[in-house]
Amino acid sequence: MQMFSKGAEAAYRRVDLDARIEASSSENLTIICLEETVAALGQALLMLEREADRIPGEPLARAHGIALWLARSVAPENPLYSAMTQFYGGLAAAIMGNMRRASIGELTQIRDDFADVLTAAKAN
C-alpha cells in the first residue's frame, strides 16, 4: 500500500509543479527551478543518510536536469551570462559525478550553493 501512496504523492507534486510553472513569469520560473533543485538535493541527502551505499538516482537526476536547464536558460544579454552559465554548468557536472559515487559532503555543498542563489534571487 505504501508504494501506491508514494506514487500518488509524486503525481500530486508534479501536478503542483506544473501548475506553478504554468502560472509563473519568466523571473519566477528561475526561482521555482532553484527551489526544486534545493528540494531534490535535500531529498537525495536524506536518502543517503538512510542508505549510504545506495545512490539516490531519481532526485539527483531531477536536480541534474534542472541545473542543465538553468545553465542553458541564462539570457545572453545578461551581464553575468558567462559566470552564471559556468556556475550552473559546474554544479550540473558535480551532480553528475555524484550519480556515480555519491558524497554527502559534496551534495551538501551543491545544495547550499543553489540555496544561496535562491536567496539572492528572492531578494531581488
Side-chain angles (χ1 to χ4, degrees):
M1 190 66 152
Q2 187 176 15
M3 181 175 72
F4 292 119
S5 67
K6 284 187 180 187
E9 180 180 309
Y12 284 122
R13 188 173 52 235
R14 280 191 304 273
V15 168
D16 179 58
L17 177 59
D18 289 346
R20 288 179 65 203
I21 289 170
E22 190 69 31
S24 73
S25 64
S26 61
E27 298 85 32
N28 288 337
L29 186 56
T30 299
I31 290 174
I32 291 169
C33 288
L34 291 167
E35 289 171 344
E36 288 297 313
T37 305
V38 170
L41 291 167
Q43 183 183 18
L45 286 165
L46 286 173
M47 292 171 75
L48 272 175
E49 288 173 2
R50 291 185 191 133
E51 293 184 66
D53 59 337
R54 185 168 183 226
I55 294 175
E58 192 275 326
L60 289 179
R62 192 167 73 243
H64 180 257
I66 297 169
L68 286 176
W69 182 86
L70 286 166
R72 292 178 183 146
S73 68
V74 178
E77 63 275 4
N78 186 321
L80 297 175
Y81 173 80
S82 181
M84 293 306 294
T85 301
Q86 288 180 348
F87 176 75
Y88 289 134
L91 290 175
I95 293 168
M96 177 61 86
N98 276 274
M99 292 172 77
R100 291 184 282 273
R101 186 180 50 87
S103 163
I104 289 177
E106 281 183 39
L107 289 173
T108 299
Q109 182 61 56
I110 295 165
R111 183 199 57 200
D112 291 349
D113 288 346
F114 276 110
D116 288 345
V117 175
L118 174 60
T119 299
K122 284 182 172 181
N124 290 329

